[in-house]
Amino acid sequence: MLSYVVAVRDMFMHVPCWKLPTLHRALHTRPEGARMEVAGGYAEVLKRAVAKQQDAGSAAMSQG
C-alpha cells in the first residue's frame, strides 16, 4: 500500500485514503503513468535519491 501512498498522497491530498488504490491505477492508465516511478516505501525512495545523487556527483567529478 505504501508504494502509491507516498507520491499519490502528496499529489492529491484531498483524496480519501481508501480511494488511493483506485487513483493509483487510474494514473497508470494515462500517458503520464509511463513516467511515474513506483517504490515499495520511503526507504526505497531514499535509496534511489541517494543513488541518483551519488551518480550525479561521480559524473561531475569525472568531467571536472
Side-chain angles (χ1 to χ4, degrees):
M1 182 168 161
L2 195 55
S3 61
Y4 53 80
V5 170
V6 173
V8 174
R9 187 69 185 148
D10 291 338
M11 291 171 36
F12 301 98
M13 291 186 282
H14 61 280
V15 177
C17 61
W18 65 87
K19 291 191 176 186
L20 291 176
T22 304
L23 177 60
H24 180 76
R25 287 189 298 274
L27 287 173
H28 276 281
T29 63
R30 300 180 53 81
E32 297 85 1
R35 297 191 322 250
M36 291 174 56
E37 290 187 43
V38 178
Y42 283 112
E44 188 176 335
V45 171
L46 292 174
K47 286 178 187 176
R48 289 183 189 183
V50 169
K52 287 181 181 180
Q53 204 170 32
Q54 287 174 346
D55 290 344
S58 297
M61 289 173 73
S62 65
Q63 292 177 359

